[in-house]
Amino acid sequence: MSSSPIEILLPHRPADLPLRATVTEGEQRSLFVALAAVPDPRDPRGRRYPLVSVLAVAVCAVLAGACTFAAISDWVRDLDRPAWERLGFGDRVPAATTVWRLLVRIDAEVLSQVLARWLRVRAVPVMPGRRWRLVIAVDGKVERGARLPGGRQVHLLSAYDVSTGIVLAQV
């Protein structure tokens, strides 16, 4: 019996879900090209892993359900060696602390803009009939427990494209 939960759950998935399309080489490269626009905050002398590779791993792991730095690291470790090579790693992959140290130093606003642009290009809006409207939902929240240096609370405002499910902007 396989230890992979994917192989166990796959036969039991709902019948109405569409089959997952395979990712083409061009689509894989488009993520790398998009992530190349994010500036690297590291000193050039201490780089062991390409920034684009670590960011691509983080994006793919989060899309697969990872919600911690350790889960991102576990996700990449579970891949086979040919997948490591396609991602730009050699015989080693970054540890969870390496992923954490890099991701906390990345400019979050730039990364958010790059990923939103990449998703908008890939996503096809659902057009149920001849008439189609772009519907953008705007939602705001106050972050509980987070304070700015002046003592004010942190407010979060997001714009969300309803037809594609993409967060267009967040401040």
Side-chain angles (χ1 to χ4, degrees), residues 22 37 102 110 149 158:
T22 58
L102 180 58
V110 171
S158 299

Side-chain angles (χ1 to χ4, degrees), residues 72-96:
I72 293 171
S73 181
D74 289 344
W75 184 86
V76 73
R77 272 203 182 83
D78 287 342
L79 298 175
D80 55 0
R81 292 209 187 271
W84 289 0
E85 291 171 8
R86 284 194 309 272
L87 285 167
F89 300 118
D91 57 345
R92 309 183 319 193
V93 291

Side-chain angles (χ1 to χ4, degrees), residues 156-169:
L156 181 66
L157 182 68
S158 299
Y160 175 82
D161 183 355
V162 175
S163 65
T164 61
I166 297 173
V167 175
L168 302 173

Side-chain angles (χ1 to χ4, degrees), residues 4-166:
S4 171
I6 295 170
E7 293 175 12
I8 295 168
L9 295 174
L10 198 56
H12 303 290
R13 73 179 191 57
D16 60 343
L17 282 178
L19 289 175
R20 158 176 81 98
T22 58
V23 177
T24 65
E25 184 70 23
E27 290 172 334
Q28 176 187 356
R29 291 291 151 213
S30 74
L31 177 60
F32 284 102
V33 170
L35 292 174
V38 178
D40 195 340
R42 301 174 294 177
D43 184 354
R45 292 178 295 170
R47 296 180 189 171
R48 287 190 183 165
Y49 307 104
L51 174 70
V52 172
S53 299
V54 177
L55 291 177
V57 161
V59 168
C60 294
V62 168
L63 287 173
C67 55
T68 64
F69 297 112
I72 293 171
S73 181
D74 289 344
W75 184 86
V76 73
R77 272 203 182 83
D78 287 342
L79 298 175
D80 55 0
R81 292 209 187 271
W84 289 0
E85 291 171 8
R86 284 194 309 272
L87 285 167
F89 300 118
D91 57 345
R92 309 183 319 193
V93 291
T97 53
T98 304
V99 172
W100 170 77
R101 276 195 307 267
L102 180 58
L103 291 181
V104 298
R105 293 178 62 196
I106 294 292
D107 186 355
E109 186 174 323
V110 171
L111 182 60
S112 176
Q113 290 172 358
V114 164
L115 290 175
R117 192 175 327 123
W118 178 72
L119 285 171
R120 274 192 301 250
V121 168
R122 290 187 43 80
V124 178
V126 178
M127 292 187 239
R130 282 183 39 162
R131 298 178 67 178
W132 178 77
R133 294 185 303 181
L134 176 64
V135 178
I136 298 175
V138 178
D139 185 29
K141 300 206 179 322
V142 176
E143 293 293 321
R144 186 183 308 181
R147 301 273 179 195
L148 295 171
R152 293 185 3 235
Q153 286 184 309
V154 176
H155 295 268
L156 181 66
L157 182 68
S158 299
Y160 175 82
D161 183 355
V162 175
S163 65
T164 61
I166 297 173

